[in-house]
Amino acid sequence: MPAELTATEALGLWHRVVLEQVRQDGQDLTLRQISILLHIYLVPPPHTVRALASTLGVTKPVITRALDSLGALQLVERERDSADRRNVIIKRTLAGALYLEKLGDLIRKEARRNAP
């Protein structure tokens, strides 16, 4: 279902999605946290702190702080890489998958709301 949106329409869609998410969710994720979560779920694993930092163009401590928040919400898990203890592997969780499925459904619903 490809759609051609103007910049204003795209921003309107984003606005409606964000407003509805704030109203419903209670979990107030930052754009960085959402970017990390989407990357972990949409790009095949493995995912490490080092690779996420490189992908997002930020430092490892920035990723670590975001993962602390995501971990507290049980949206991701971390464990040491048994092959290289310096690496921290980021793992998906059921709660994270459900959060993103709900977000995807919300985006689809809001996109259909203004579709011709």
Side-chain angles (χ1 to χ4, degrees):
M1 165 177 105
E4 292 293 325
L5 299 176
T6 67
T8 301
E9 290 168 335
L11 289 171
L13 171 60
W14 181 249
H15 182 234
R16 290 190 311 275
V17 167
V18 170
L19 280 177
E20 191 58 31
Q21 191 176 26
V22 167
R23 288 179 186 135
Q24 290 180 3
D25 197 40
Q27 296 175 351
D28 202 9
L29 299 185
T30 66
L31 284 175
R32 179 173 290 136
Q33 291 165 343
I34 290 173
S35 295
I36 290 169
L37 194 59
L38 285 168
H39 187 80
I40 291 167
Y41 282 83
L42 296 176
V43 175
H47 300 287
T48 64
V49 170
R50 180 180 295 130
L52 287 171
S54 176
T55 297
L56 271 68
V58 297
T59 64
K60 291 190 296 185
V62 168
I63 297 297
T64 298
R65 283 191 299 273
L67 291 173
D68 287 344
S69 298
L70 293 170
L73 296 169
Q74 300 179 339
L75 300 176
V76 298
E77 293 178 345
R78 290 181 276 189
E79 68 180 42
R80 286 278 174 199
D81 183 350
S82 59
D84 183 348
R85 303 285 298 160
R86 296 172 296 174
N87 284 330
V88 176
I89 304 293
I90 315 308
K91 301 221 171 225
R92 301 169 179 171
T93 65
L94 179 58
L98 292 173
Y99 177 88
L100 288 178
E101 183 175 340
K102 181 179 168 186
L103 178 58
D105 288 343
L106 175 59
I107 292 167
R108 290 175 57 219
K109 179 185 116 191
E110 292 300 328
R112 282 193 301 263
R113 207 175 95 189
N114 281 2

